Amino acid sequence: MTNQPNQPNQPNQPYDPYGQQPQAWPGQAYQQQGYEDPHAAQQYTQQWQGQTWETQNHQAVSAQAPDPETAILTPQSPRPPQSPRTPQSPRTPQGSAAPAGADASATGYGPATVGGNARVTAAQRARAEGRSPVIEPGLQPAVLTALLGLLLAGAAAVGTYALLVPLVVLQAVTAAGWFRLNGMWPARQGIALGFAGALAADAALLASGRSPSAILGTIGVWVLLALVLQLRSHADPDERMYGLMATVAASALAIVAGGYLAAAADAVTVGAVAVAVAVLARALPLPTPASVVVSLLAAAGAGIAMGSVTDLGTSGAFLGAGAAVCALIGHRVASYDYPSRFVHFTAGVALPLAAAAPAVYVLGRALA
C-alpha cells in the first residue's frame, strides 16, 4: 500500500497523542498510518471506561498490554456488576432506584429502566409496602358532611326553593370530588359538564312537578352528550374511555343527588339528619366493624327521633338505617385508592349524602 505523504511507514511506533498530528476518531488511526490488519491497531485505539451496562460485565479486548503513557488503564478481569444508584436515591416498590438528580415527587413517575417503567401510583406503592390503600376521611370531613346534611334537613322543612341552595352546593362538590378521586385534575370540562347535568335535572324536576322521571331522562341525555364529546376528542383511545367513564359517573352522581328535591320534605329531613349522625359516628376512633354497627344504630335512633317530629313516626328508623347504609357505601368509596386531602374534603364530604339520595326518595315513598 502506498504511504501517505509526510507519514513514514513505521507500524511498530505507538501513536503519540501529544504530537502535531490532528486527533481523529479511534477507527481512523490505523487507516492513516497504513495498517491493513485492524486487530494490530487495537493497542492504539482509545479505551473508554464508564459505568454502562455494556462495560460492567465484560472485559476490554486488547492485543497486548497497553502503553502506560498513552493508554487509559481498563480492568482486565470481570467485576461483579455495580448498581449505579447512590445511597440517597429513592426506592420504588420494585426495588429499582431513580436516576441521580431526579425528583420523583415532582414528575409523578417512577425511575427509568431498560425495559420501561409504568407510572407508580400512591395506591400501588402502598400495596407494595404492605400498607392499606384505604384511608378514611376522618373527623373534619365528617363534620362538614353533617353540617351540609343539617342544612338539607332544615331547608327541606322551609320549602322546595330553599332546598335548592344546599342541594346545588352538594351537586357541585360531588362532580368535582369524583374527578379528583379518579386522579383526573384539573378536569374543568368534565366537572362543568357534570354540574350542568345536575342543574338541568333540578330544572326538569321543578318543571315536571318533582317527578323522578326527570332524573332518569336527564341521565340518559347526559350519557349521550358525554359520549359525543369524547368521540370528538383527539386523545388516545384508553384516555378517552377513562374520561368517558369518569364523566358519566360524575354526572350520574350529581344528577342522582337531585333525588332530595323529588322526595317528600319529611323524608329529606329524616334521611339527611340520619346521614349526618351516621357519618359522625363512623369517624369515631373505633375498629371498623364496631364503627359500622355504631353508625347504623345511631342513624336508626336519629330516624326515630326525627320521625316523631314529622309524620313518619317510628318508621323513620327504617328510613334512617337505609340512608345510613348508602351513606357508608359512599364514605367507603371516598376512602379507597389512597386518596389525598383534597379528595377527603370533596368526595369524602359529598358522596355519603349523594349516595343516600335514592334511598331517601324510595323509602320515603314506601313509608309515607
mmCIF file of all heavy atoms in Angstrom, residues 167-199 222 243 245-257 342-343 345-351 354:
data_model
loop_
_atom_site.group_PDB
_atom_site.id
_atom_site.type_symbol
_atom_site.label_atom_id
_atom_site.label_comp_id
_atom_site.label_asym_id
_atom_site.label_seq_id
_atom_site.Cartn_x
_atom_site.Cartn_y
_atom_site.Cartn_z
ATOM 1 N N LEU A 167 -78.584 21.995 48.051
ATOM 2 C CA LEU A 167 -78.543 20.916 47.067
ATOM 3 C C LEU A 167 -77.587 21.233 45.926
ATOM 4 O O LEU A 167 -76.819 20.359 45.486
ATOM 5 C CB LEU A 167 -79.944 20.652 46.524
ATOM 6 C CG LEU A 167 -80.054 19.555 45.451
ATOM 7 C CD1 LEU A 167 -79.578 18.223 45.988
ATOM 8 C CD2 LEU A 167 -81.483 19.459 44.931
ATOM 9 N N VAL A 168 -77.587 22.456 45.445
ATOM 10 C CA VAL A 168 -76.661 22.848 44.368
ATOM 11 C C VAL A 168 -75.215 22.769 44.849
ATOM 12 O O VAL A 168 -74.315 22.346 44.115
ATOM 13 C CB VAL A 168 -77.024 24.261 43.867
ATOM 14 C CG1 VAL A 168 -75.930 24.812 42.965
ATOM 15 C CG2 VAL A 168 -78.338 24.235 43.113
ATOM 16 N N VAL A 169 -74.968 23.161 46.089
ATOM 17 C CA VAL A 169 -73.619 23.032 46.647
ATOM 18 C C VAL A 169 -73.194 21.562 46.694
ATOM 19 O O VAL A 169 -72.055 21.204 46.335
ATOM 20 C CB VAL A 169 -73.563 23.677 48.041
ATOM 21 C CG1 VAL A 169 -72.199 23.436 48.692
ATOM 22 C CG2 VAL A 169 -73.839 25.162 47.952
ATOM 23 N N LEU A 170 -74.105 20.698 47.134
ATOM 24 C CA LEU A 170 -73.808 19.266 47.183
ATOM 25 C C LEU A 170 -73.499 18.705 45.800
ATOM 26 O O LEU A 170 -72.556 17.923 45.632
ATOM 27 C CB LEU A 170 -75.005 18.529 47.810
ATOM 28 C CG LEU A 170 -74.952 16.992 47.767
ATOM 29 C CD1 LEU A 170 -73.776 16.466 48.572
ATOM 30 C CD2 LEU A 170 -76.271 16.411 48.278
ATOM 31 N N GLN A 171 -74.250 19.110 44.801
ATOM 32 C CA GLN A 171 -74.028 18.598 43.453
ATOM 33 C C GLN A 171 -72.706 19.078 42.867
ATOM 34 O O GLN A 171 -72.011 18.324 42.181
ATOM 35 C CB GLN A 171 -75.206 19.009 42.568
ATOM 36 C CG GLN A 171 -76.504 18.293 42.919
ATOM 37 C CD GLN A 171 -77.705 18.892 42.217
ATOM 38 O OE1 GLN A 171 -77.731 20.086 41.910
ATOM 39 N NE2 GLN A 171 -78.725 18.071 41.957
ATOM 40 N N ALA A 172 -72.330 20.312 43.131
ATOM 41 C CA ALA A 172 -71.056 20.828 42.621
ATOM 42 C C ALA A 172 -69.870 20.111 43.259
ATOM 43 O O ALA A 172 -68.905 19.721 42.584
ATOM 44 C CB ALA A 172 -70.967 22.334 42.877
ATOM 45 N N VAL A 173 -69.929 19.915 44.572
ATOM 46 C CA VAL A 173 -68.829 19.232 45.263
ATOM 47 C C VAL A 173 -68.768 17.763 44.843
ATOM 48 O O VAL A 173 -67.683 17.174 44.752
ATOM 49 C CB VAL A 173 -68.997 19.377 46.783
ATOM 50 C CG1 VAL A 173 -67.899 18.625 47.526
ATOM 51 C CG2 VAL A 173 -68.960 20.847 47.173
ATOM 52 N N THR A 174 -69.917 17.163 44.556
ATOM 53 C CA THR A 174 -69.929 15.770 44.108
ATOM 54 C C THR A 174 -69.232 15.613 42.773
ATOM 55 O O THR A 174 -68.405 14.693 42.587
ATOM 56 C CB THR A 174 -71.372 15.256 43.992
ATOM 57 O OG1 THR A 174 -72.011 15.357 45.267
ATOM 58 C CG2 THR A 174 -71.407 13.820 43.528
ATOM 59 N N ALA A 175 -69.541 16.486 41.814
ATOM 60 C CA ALA A 175 -68.905 16.392 40.487
ATOM 61 C C ALA A 175 -67.403 16.616 40.581
ATOM 62 O O ALA A 175 -66.608 15.872 39.976
ATOM 63 C CB ALA A 175 -69.541 17.404 39.536
ATOM 64 N N ALA A 176 -66.963 17.612 41.336
ATOM 65 C CA ALA A 176 -65.531 17.882 41.462
ATOM 66 C C ALA A 176 -64.817 16.769 42.213
ATOM 67 O O ALA A 176 -63.706 16.363 41.842
ATOM 68 C CB ALA A 176 -65.322 19.222 42.167
ATOM 69 N N GLY A 177 -65.433 16.263 43.281
ATOM 70 C CA GLY A 177 -64.780 15.230 44.072
ATOM 71 C C GLY A 177 -64.612 13.917 43.329
ATOM 72 O O GLY A 177 -63.619 13.209 43.528
ATOM 73 N N TRP A 178 -65.557 13.580 42.452
ATOM 74 C CA TRP A 178 -65.430 12.317 41.734
ATOM 75 C C TRP A 178 -64.253 12.344 40.760
ATOM 76 O O TRP A 178 -63.522 11.372 40.633
ATOM 77 C CB TRP A 178 -66.722 11.995 41.000
ATOM 78 C CG TRP A 178 -66.667 10.658 40.337
ATOM 79 C CD1 TRP A 178 -66.420 10.391 39.028
ATOM 80 C CD2 TRP A 178 -66.831 9.399 40.983
ATOM 81 N NE1 TRP A 178 -66.421 9.045 38.800
ATOM 82 C CE2 TRP A 178 -66.674 8.404 39.990
ATOM 83 C CE3 TRP A 178 -67.101 9.013 42.301
ATOM 84 C CZ2 TRP A 178 -66.781 7.048 40.281
ATOM 85 C CZ3 TRP A 178 -67.207 7.657 42.585
ATOM 86 C CH2 TRP A 178 -67.046 6.694 41.583
ATOM 87 N N PHE A 179 -64.053 13.451 40.075
ATOM 88 C CA PHE A 179 -62.920 13.540 39.155
ATOM 89 C C PHE A 179 -61.602 13.500 39.913
ATOM 90 O O PHE A 179 -60.637 12.867 39.470
ATOM 91 C CB PHE A 179 -63.011 14.828 38.328
ATOM 92 C CG PHE A 179 -63.869 14.687 37.115
ATOM 93 C CD1 PHE A 179 -65.209 15.041 37.147
ATOM 94 C CD2 PHE A 179 -63.353 14.185 35.933
ATOM 95 C CE1 PHE A 179 -66.010 14.920 36.030
ATOM 96 C CE2 PHE A 179 -64.143 14.046 34.807
ATOM 97 C CZ PHE A 179 -65.477 14.406 34.856
ATOM 98 N N ARG A 180 -61.539 14.170 41.044
ATOM 99 C CA ARG A 180 -60.295 14.139 41.827
ATOM 100 C C ARG A 180 -60.060 12.769 42.430
ATOM 101 O O ARG A 180 -58.911 12.334 42.556
ATOM 102 C CB ARG A 180 -60.358 15.199 42.935
ATOM 103 C CG ARG A 180 -59.002 15.411 43.601
ATOM 104 C CD ARG A 180 -58.011 15.935 42.588
ATOM 105 N NE ARG A 180 -56.679 16.046 43.150
ATOM 106 C CZ ARG A 180 -55.759 15.096 43.070
ATOM 107 N NH1 ARG A 180 -56.046 13.954 42.493
ATOM 108 N NH2 ARG A 180 -54.561 15.288 43.575
ATOM 109 N N LEU A 181 -61.118 12.070 42.786
ATOM 110 C CA LEU A 181 -60.968 10.726 43.327
ATOM 111 C C LEU A 181 -60.389 9.779 42.290
ATOM 112 O O LEU A 181 -59.651 8.848 42.632
ATOM 113 C CB LEU A 181 -62.320 10.209 43.818
ATOM 114 C CG LEU A 181 -62.358 8.811 44.448
ATOM 115 C CD1 LEU A 181 -61.493 8.770 45.705
ATOM 116 C CD2 LEU A 181 -63.785 8.411 44.773
ATOM 117 N N ASN A 182 -60.686 9.992 41.028
ATOM 118 C CA ASN A 182 -60.167 9.173 39.944
ATOM 119 C C ASN A 182 -58.831 9.670 39.407
ATOM 120 O O ASN A 182 -58.365 9.183 38.372
ATOM 121 C CB ASN A 182 -61.177 9.117 38.798
ATOM 122 C CG ASN A 182 -62.357 8.228 39.107
ATOM 123 O OD1 ASN A 182 -62.370 7.051 38.786
ATOM 124 N ND2 ASN A 182 -63.373 8.794 39.753
ATOM 125 N N GLY A 183 -58.217 10.623 40.066
ATOM 126 C CA GLY A 183 -56.901 11.095 39.658
ATOM 127 C C GLY A 183 -56.913 12.005 38.458
ATOM 128 O O GLY A 183 -55.861 12.212 37.846
ATOM 129 N N MET A 184 -58.044 12.553 38.100
ATOM 130 C CA MET A 184 -58.143 13.432 36.930
ATOM 131 C C MET A 184 -58.311 14.871 37.424
ATOM 132 O O MET A 184 -59.390 15.272 37.873
ATOM 133 C CB MET A 184 -59.334 13.032 36.056
ATOM 134 C CG MET A 184 -59.272 11.613 35.569
ATOM 135 S SD MET A 184 -60.709 11.137 34.598
ATOM 136 C CE MET A 184 -60.512 12.219 33.180
ATOM 137 N N TRP A 185 -57.200 15.617 37.384
ATOM 138 C CA TRP A 185 -57.241 17.002 37.855
ATOM 139 C C TRP A 185 -56.119 17.784 37.191
ATOM 140 O O TRP A 185 -54.979 17.322 37.164
ATOM 141 C CB TRP A 185 -57.057 17.045 39.372
ATOM 142 C CG TRP A 185 -57.266 18.401 39.938
ATOM 143 C CD1 TRP A 185 -56.313 19.348 40.220
ATOM 144 C CD2 TRP A 185 -58.526 18.978 40.283
ATOM 145 N NE1 TRP A 185 -56.896 20.462 40.723
ATOM 146 C CE2 TRP A 185 -58.247 20.274 40.771
ATOM 147 C CE3 TRP A 185 -59.838 18.543 40.221
ATOM 148 C CZ2 TRP A 185 -59.248 21.121 41.206
ATOM 149 C CZ3 TRP A 185 -60.829 19.386 40.651
ATOM 150 C CH2 TRP A 185 -60.534 20.655 41.145
ATOM 151 N N PRO A 186 -56.379 18.949 36.600
ATOM 152 C CA PRO A 186 -57.706 19.554 36.509
ATOM 153 C C PRO A 186 -58.541 18.956 35.382
ATOM 154 O O PRO A 186 -58.011 18.561 34.359
ATOM 155 C CB PRO A 186 -57.399 21.021 36.205
ATOM 156 C CG PRO A 186 -56.107 20.975 35.477
ATOM 157 C CD PRO A 186 -55.334 19.819 36.042
ATOM 158 N N ALA A 187 -59.831 18.884 35.593
ATOM 159 C CA ALA A 187 -60.766 18.360 34.593
ATOM 160 C C ALA A 187 -61.959 19.300 34.546
ATOM 161 O O ALA A 187 -63.083 18.935 34.873
ATOM 162 C CB ALA A 187 -61.188 16.941 34.944
ATOM 163 N N ARG A 188 -61.687 20.533 34.152
ATOM 164 C CA ARG A 188 -62.717 21.579 34.224
ATOM 165 C C ARG A 188 -63.910 21.265 33.335
ATOM 166 O O ARG A 188 -65.057 21.510 33.708
ATOM 167 C CB ARG A 188 -62.103 22.921 33.845
ATOM 168 C CG ARG A 188 -60.967 23.370 34.765
ATOM 169 C CD ARG A 188 -60.401 24.709 34.334
ATOM 170 N NE ARG A 188 -59.278 25.105 35.171
ATOM 171 C CZ ARG A 188 -58.012 24.810 34.914
ATOM 172 N NH1 ARG A 188 -57.737 24.080 33.846
ATOM 173 N NH2 ARG A 188 -57.047 25.204 35.710
ATOM 174 N N GLN A 189 -63.640 20.738 32.140
ATOM 175 C CA GLN A 189 -64.743 20.462 31.230
ATOM 176 C C GLN A 189 -65.638 19.360 31.772
ATOM 177 O O GLN A 189 -66.871 19.454 31.718
ATOM 178 C CB GLN A 189 -64.193 20.082 29.857
ATOM 179 C CG GLN A 189 -63.460 21.221 29.161
ATOM 180 C CD GLN A 189 -62.944 20.820 27.796
ATOM 181 O OE1 GLN A 189 -63.045 19.655 27.416
ATOM 182 N NE2 GLN A 189 -62.382 21.768 27.070
ATOM 183 N N GLY A 190 -65.038 18.299 32.304
ATOM 184 C CA GLY A 190 -65.843 17.216 32.853
ATOM 185 C C GLY A 190 -66.631 17.647 34.075
ATOM 186 O O GLY A 190 -67.804 17.285 34.240
ATOM 187 N N ILE A 191 -66.007 18.427 34.958
ATOM 188 C CA ILE A 191 -66.704 18.920 36.146
ATOM 189 C C ILE A 191 -67.847 19.846 35.739
ATOM 190 O O ILE A 191 -68.969 19.756 36.276
ATOM 191 C CB ILE A 191 -65.718 19.642 37.081
ATOM 192 C CG1 ILE A 191 -64.691 18.649 37.628
ATOM 193 C CG2 ILE A 191 -66.455 20.324 38.219
ATOM 194 C CD1 ILE A 191 -63.583 19.295 38.423
ATOM 195 N N ALA A 192 -67.572 20.721 34.783
ATOM 196 C CA ALA A 192 -68.628 21.630 34.322
ATOM 197 C C ALA A 192 -69.777 20.863 33.676
ATOM 198 O O ALA A 192 -70.951 21.209 33.866
ATOM 199 C CB ALA A 192 -68.040 22.638 33.332
ATOM 200 N N LEU A 193 -69.428 19.796 32.927
ATOM 201 C CA LEU A 193 -70.480 19.006 32.280
ATOM 202 C C LEU A 193 -71.341 18.283 33.313
ATOM 203 O O LEU A 193 -72.578 18.260 33.212
ATOM 204 C CB LEU A 193 -69.854 18.008 31.314
ATOM 205 C CG LEU A 193 -70.824 17.157 30.493
ATOM 206 C CD1 LEU A 193 -71.687 18.035 29.600
ATOM 207 C CD2 LEU A 193 -70.060 16.135 29.660
ATOM 208 N N GLY A 194 -70.715 17.688 34.324
ATOM 209 C CA GLY A 194 -71.482 17.012 35.361
ATOM 210 C C GLY A 194 -72.348 17.964 36.164
ATOM 211 O O GLY A 194 -73.510 17.661 36.481
ATOM 212 N N PHE A 195 -71.799 19.139 36.494
ATOM 213 C CA PHE A 195 -72.576 20.115 37.246
ATOM 214 C C PHE A 195 -73.726 20.669 36.409
ATOM 215 O O PHE A 195 -74.831 20.914 36.920
ATOM 216 C CB PHE A 195 -71.655 21.234 37.723
ATOM 217 C CG PHE A 195 -72.341 22.268 38.560
ATOM 218 C CD1 PHE A 195 -73.033 21.902 39.713
ATOM 219 C CD2 PHE A 195 -72.309 23.604 38.212
ATOM 220 C CE1 PHE A 195 -73.670 22.850 40.494
ATOM 221 C CE2 PHE A 195 -72.934 24.563 38.988
ATOM 222 C CZ PHE A 195 -73.624 24.183 40.129
ATOM 223 N N ALA A 196 -73.487 20.863 35.107
ATOM 224 C CA ALA A 196 -74.563 21.330 34.227
ATOM 225 C C ALA A 196 -75.681 20.293 34.142
ATOM 226 O O ALA A 196 -76.873 20.650 34.088
ATOM 227 C CB ALA A 196 -74.005 21.624 32.829
ATOM 228 N N GLY A 197 -75.314 18.998 34.139
ATOM 229 C CA GLY A 197 -76.347 17.961 34.157
ATOM 230 C C GLY A 197 -77.175 18.008 35.421
ATOM 231 O O GLY A 197 -78.399 17.795 35.386
ATOM 232 N N ALA A 198 -76.531 18.282 36.562
ATOM 233 C CA ALA A 198 -77.276 18.389 37.817
ATOM 234 C C ALA A 198 -78.244 19.569 37.794
ATOM 235 O O ALA A 198 -79.399 19.453 38.239
ATOM 236 C CB ALA A 198 -76.298 18.521 38.977
ATOM 237 N N LEU A 199 -77.771 20.702 37.275
ATOM 238 C CA LEU A 199 -78.668 21.856 37.183
ATOM 239 C C LEU A 199 -79.828 21.595 36.230
ATOM 240 O O LEU A 199 -80.967 22.019 36.491
ATOM 241 C CB LEU A 199 -77.872 23.080 36.729
ATOM 242 C CG LEU A 199 -76.791 23.587 37.693
ATOM 243 C CD1 LEU A 199 -76.097 24.799 37.103
ATOM 244 C CD2 LEU A 199 -77.385 23.901 39.063
ATOM 245 N N TRP A 222 -77.488 13.067 29.269
ATOM 246 C CA TRP A 222 -76.096 13.433 29.586
ATOM 247 C C TRP A 222 -75.125 12.313 29.252
ATOM 248 O O TRP A 222 -73.967 12.583 28.918
ATOM 249 C CB TRP A 222 -75.993 13.850 31.047
ATOM 250 C CG TRP A 222 -75.632 15.299 31.159
ATOM 251 C CD1 TRP A 222 -74.451 15.822 31.577
ATOM 252 C CD2 TRP A 222 -76.455 16.415 30.808
ATOM 253 N NE1 TRP A 222 -74.488 17.191 31.508
ATOM 254 C CE2 TRP A 222 -75.709 17.581 31.035
ATOM 255 C CE3 TRP A 222 -77.760 16.535 30.309
ATOM 256 C CZ2 TRP A 222 -76.204 18.848 30.805
ATOM 257 C CZ3 TRP A 222 -78.268 17.794 30.066
ATOM 258 C CH2 TRP A 222 -77.494 18.930 30.315
ATOM 259 N N GLY A 243 -61.824 8.904 30.421
ATOM 260 C CA GLY A 243 -62.524 10.170 30.598
ATOM 261 C C GLY A 243 -64.020 10.026 30.447
ATOM 262 O O GLY A 243 -64.790 10.689 31.150
ATOM 263 N N MET A 245 -65.880 7.316 31.157
ATOM 264 C CA MET A 245 -66.436 6.673 32.346
ATOM 265 C C MET A 245 -66.460 7.632 33.531
ATOM 266 O O MET A 245 -67.438 7.666 34.287
ATOM 267 C CB MET A 245 -65.612 5.428 32.688
ATOM 268 C CG MET A 245 -65.615 4.360 31.609
ATOM 269 S SD MET A 245 -67.276 3.848 31.133
ATOM 270 C CE MET A 245 -67.839 3.125 32.670
ATOM 271 N N ALA A 246 -65.404 8.414 33.691
ATOM 272 C CA ALA A 246 -65.386 9.369 34.806
ATOM 273 C C ALA A 246 -66.450 10.450 34.627
ATOM 274 O O ALA A 246 -67.125 10.842 35.594
ATOM 275 C CB ALA A 246 -63.999 10.001 34.924
ATOM 276 N N THR A 247 -66.629 10.928 33.401
ATOM 277 C CA THR A 247 -67.626 11.966 33.154
ATOM 278 C C THR A 247 -69.043 11.443 33.373
ATOM 279 O O THR A 247 -69.884 12.118 33.985
ATOM 280 C CB THR A 247 -67.480 12.501 31.719
ATOM 281 O OG1 THR A 247 -66.144 12.983 31.531
ATOM 282 C CG2 THR A 247 -68.459 13.627 31.460
ATOM 283 N N VAL A 248 -69.319 10.251 32.878
ATOM 284 C CA VAL A 248 -70.653 9.669 33.054
ATOM 285 C C VAL A 248 -70.946 9.424 34.537
ATOM 286 O O VAL A 248 -72.050 9.718 35.026
ATOM 287 C CB VAL A 248 -70.777 8.373 32.235
ATOM 288 C CG1 VAL A 248 -72.042 7.620 32.592
ATOM 289 C CG2 VAL A 248 -70.753 8.689 30.739
ATOM 290 N N ALA A 249 -69.962 8.875 35.264
ATOM 291 C CA ALA A 249 -70.185 8.595 36.684
ATOM 292 C C ALA A 249 -70.378 9.881 37.481
ATOM 293 O O ALA A 249 -71.264 9.957 38.350
ATOM 294 C CB ALA A 249 -69.006 7.798 37.239
ATOM 295 N N ALA A 250 -69.559 10.900 37.211
ATOM 296 C CA ALA A 250 -69.707 12.163 37.935
ATOM 297 C C ALA A 250 -71.056 12.820 37.629
ATOM 298 O O ALA A 250 -71.722 13.348 38.537
ATOM 299 C CB ALA A 250 -68.556 13.108 37.568
ATOM 300 N N SER A 251 -71.456 12.794 36.370
ATOM 301 C CA SER A 251 -72.750 13.376 36.010
ATOM 302 C C SER A 251 -73.899 12.619 36.661
ATOM 303 O O SER A 251 -74.854 13.227 37.175
ATOM 304 C CB SER A 251 -72.907 13.377 34.489
ATOM 305 O OG SER A 251 -71.865 14.101 33.861
ATOM 306 N N ALA A 252 -73.811 11.278 36.639
ATOM 307 C CA ALA A 252 -74.884 10.475 37.225
ATOM 308 C C ALA A 252 -75.000 10.713 38.730
ATOM 309 O O ALA A 252 -76.111 10.851 39.265
ATOM 310 C CB ALA A 252 -74.640 8.995 36.932
ATOM 311 N N LEU A 253 -73.883 10.783 39.429
ATOM 312 C CA LEU A 253 -73.939 11.015 40.872
ATOM 313 C C LEU A 253 -74.493 12.401 41.197
ATOM 314 O O LEU A 253 -75.298 12.558 42.126
ATOM 315 C CB LEU A 253 -72.546 10.850 41.473
ATOM 316 C CG LEU A 253 -72.021 9.413 41.586
ATOM 317 C CD1 LEU A 253 -70.561 9.412 42.004
ATOM 318 C CD2 LEU A 253 -72.854 8.621 42.580
ATOM 319 N N ALA A 254 -74.045 13.411 40.445
ATOM 320 C CA ALA A 254 -74.555 14.761 40.705
ATOM 321 C C ALA A 254 -76.041 14.867 40.387
ATOM 322 O O ALA A 254 -76.782 15.565 41.091
ATOM 323 C CB ALA A 254 -73.757 15.772 39.874
ATOM 324 N N ILE A 255 -76.487 14.177 39.335
ATOM 325 C CA ILE A 255 -77.918 14.220 38.985
ATOM 326 C C ILE A 255 -78.746 13.435 39.993
ATOM 327 O O ILE A 255 -79.841 13.862 40.392
ATOM 328 C CB ILE A 255 -78.101 13.678 37.555
ATOM 329 C CG1 ILE A 255 -77.468 14.626 36.541
ATOM 330 C CG2 ILE A 255 -79.582 13.500 37.239
ATOM 331 C CD1 ILE A 255 -77.436 14.076 35.128
ATOM 332 N N VAL A 256 -78.234 12.266 40.417
ATOM 333 C CA VAL A 256 -78.965 11.439 41.386
ATOM 334 C C VAL A 256 -79.130 12.176 42.713
ATOM 335 O O VAL A 256 -80.126 11.966 43.436
ATOM 336 C CB VAL A 256 -78.255 10.092 41.560
ATOM 337 C CG1 VAL A 256 -78.744 9.353 42.801
ATOM 338 C CG2 VAL A 256 -78.468 9.219 40.328
ATOM 339 N N ALA A 257 -78.158 13.035 43.057
ATOM 340 C CA ALA A 257 -78.311 13.812 44.295
ATOM 341 C C ALA A 257 -79.545 14.683 44.278
ATOM 342 O O ALA A 257 -80.058 15.089 45.336
ATOM 343 C CB ALA A 257 -77.066 14.674 44.516
ATOM 344 N N PHE A 342 -57.439 16.667 49.470
ATOM 345 C CA PHE A 342 -58.459 17.328 48.660
ATOM 346 C C PHE A 342 -59.615 16.383 48.363
ATOM 347 O O PHE A 342 -60.774 16.806 48.316
ATOM 348 C CB PHE A 342 -57.832 17.826 47.355
ATOM 349 C CG PHE A 342 -58.741 18.698 46.541
ATOM 350 C CD1 PHE A 342 -58.788 20.058 46.761
ATOM 351 C CD2 PHE A 342 -59.559 18.161 45.561
ATOM 352 C CE1 PHE A 342 -59.624 20.873 46.020
ATOM 353 C CE2 PHE A 342 -60.400 18.970 44.818
ATOM 354 C CZ PHE A 342 -60.435 20.324 45.051
ATOM 355 N N VAL A 343 -59.326 15.112 48.149
ATOM 356 C CA VAL A 343 -60.392 14.125 47.921
ATOM 357 C C VAL A 343 -61.268 14.002 49.158
ATOM 358 O O VAL A 343 -62.495 13.918 49.064
ATOM 359 C CB VAL A 343 -59.783 12.767 47.545
ATOM 360 C CG1 VAL A 343 -60.854 11.689 47.465
ATOM 361 C CG2 VAL A 343 -59.059 12.867 46.212
ATOM 362 N N PHE A 345 -61.965 16.235 51.355
ATOM 363 C CA PHE A 345 -62.794 17.413 51.564
ATOM 364 C C PHE A 345 -63.725 17.698 50.390
ATOM 365 O O PHE A 345 -64.409 18.722 50.401
ATOM 366 C CB PHE A 345 -61.907 18.630 51.848
ATOM 367 C CG PHE A 345 -61.417 18.682 53.260
ATOM 368 C CD1 PHE A 345 -60.194 18.138 53.605
ATOM 369 C CD2 PHE A 345 -62.189 19.245 54.267
ATOM 370 C CE1 PHE A 345 -59.734 18.168 54.914
ATOM 371 C CE2 PHE A 345 -61.742 19.278 55.572
ATOM 372 C CZ PHE A 345 -60.512 18.733 55.896
ATOM 373 N N THR A 346 -63.737 16.845 49.395
ATOM 374 C CA THR A 346 -64.716 16.967 48.308
ATOM 375 C C THR A 346 -65.554 15.692 48.222
ATOM 376 O O THR A 346 -66.717 15.676 48.617
ATOM 377 C CB THR A 346 -64.018 17.248 46.980
ATOM 378 O OG1 THR A 346 -62.985 16.266 46.754
ATOM 379 C CG2 THR A 346 -63.398 18.632 46.966
ATOM 380 N N ALA A 347 -64.951 14.622 47.728
ATOM 381 C CA ALA A 347 -65.681 13.362 47.622
ATOM 382 C C ALA A 347 -66.035 12.803 48.997
ATOM 383 O O ALA A 347 -67.117 12.235 49.192
ATOM 384 C CB ALA A 347 -64.847 12.344 46.842
ATOM 385 N N GLY A 348 -65.135 12.969 49.976
ATOM 386 C CA GLY A 348 -65.431 12.469 51.312
ATOM 387 C C GLY A 348 -66.578 13.185 51.980
ATOM 388 O O GLY A 348 -67.270 12.616 52.831
ATOM 389 N N VAL A 349 -66.811 14.438 51.599
ATOM 390 C CA VAL A 349 -67.918 15.198 52.157
ATOM 391 C C VAL A 349 -69.213 14.934 51.408
ATOM 392 O O VAL A 349 -70.289 14.777 52.011
ATOM 393 C CB VAL A 349 -67.579 16.709 52.145
ATOM 394 C CG1 VAL A 349 -68.790 17.542 52.533
ATOM 395 C CG2 VAL A 349 -66.417 16.993 53.082
ATOM 396 N N ALA A 350 -69.147 14.859 50.081
ATOM 397 C CA ALA A 350 -70.356 14.833 49.261
ATOM 398 C C ALA A 350 -70.893 13.439 48.988
ATOM 399 O O ALA A 350 -72.118 13.258 48.912
ATOM 400 C CB ALA A 350 -70.079 15.539 47.929
ATOM 401 N N LEU A 351 -70.019 12.454 48.813
ATOM 402 C CA LEU A 351 -70.501 11.132 48.396
ATOM 403 C C LEU A 351 -71.449 10.471 49.398
ATOM 404 O O LEU A 351 -72.409 9.806 48.975
ATOM 405 C CB LEU A 351 -69.319 10.207 48.103
ATOM 406 C CG LEU A 351 -68.591 10.438 46.776
ATOM 407 C CD1 LEU A 351 -67.511 9.389 46.569
ATOM 408 C CD2 LEU A 351 -69.565 10.431 45.615
ATOM 409 N N ALA A 354 -74.783 12.179 48.632
ATOM 410 C CA ALA A 354 -75.259 11.900 47.276
ATOM 411 C C ALA A 354 -75.704 10.454 47.128
ATOM 412 O O ALA A 354 -76.706 10.163 46.456
ATOM 413 C CB ALA A 354 -74.159 12.227 46.267
#
